[in-house]
Amino acid sequence: MAKGLIKAQQAFQRRLAALAQWVEREGAHRPVLRGHSEEITVDGETEPVAVKLGVWISNTKSKRDRLDADHLTALRKLGIK
């Protein structure tokens, strides 16, 4: 896998972890506001990392037709249609 693809996959997984954390705390029924940032702990980091979750969800929904099946499935499992 090319270096750029690996970084993109890592970024997706980080954002997916932030979404999973949100869903666990708030529930899948509660929408994430566009301006919301979710702090998550990332392996190898000493401080929590802020993920701009609301912006990511909005952008992901708008480019849904360009996501692969695995990404779409992972998002659906967390309530993103």
Side-chain angles (χ1 to χ4, degrees):
M1 191 180 292
K3 193 173 191 176
L5 289 176
I6 292 171
K7 284 194 174 275
Q9 184 62 24
Q10 288 172 336
F12 182 84
Q13 291 304 320
R14 182 177 288 185
R15 292 170 179 137
L16 198 62
L19 178 58
Q21 181 175 292
W22 164 271
V23 168
E24 185 176 318
R25 186 182 67 245
E26 304 291 338
H29 65 283
R30 185 160 178 226
V32 179
L33 299 177
R34 183 164 171 81
H36 177 72
S37 288
E38 187 75 14
E39 288 195 356
I40 62 168
T41 303
V42 177
D43 290 338
E45 300 287 335
T46 56
E47 297 291 322
V49 175
V51 174
K52 294 181 180 180
L53 189 58
V55 171
W56 178 67
I57 291 172
S58 177
N59 291 345
T60 299
K61 286 180 176 181
S62 69
K63 62 179 181 180
R64 176 178 329 195
D65 59 332
R66 291 179 268 162
L67 296 176
D68 66 34
D70 291 340
H71 288 176
L72 289 170
T73 299
L75 290 166
R76 277 191 210 103
K77 285 180 181 178
L78 292 171
I80 303 298
K81 308 241 186 282

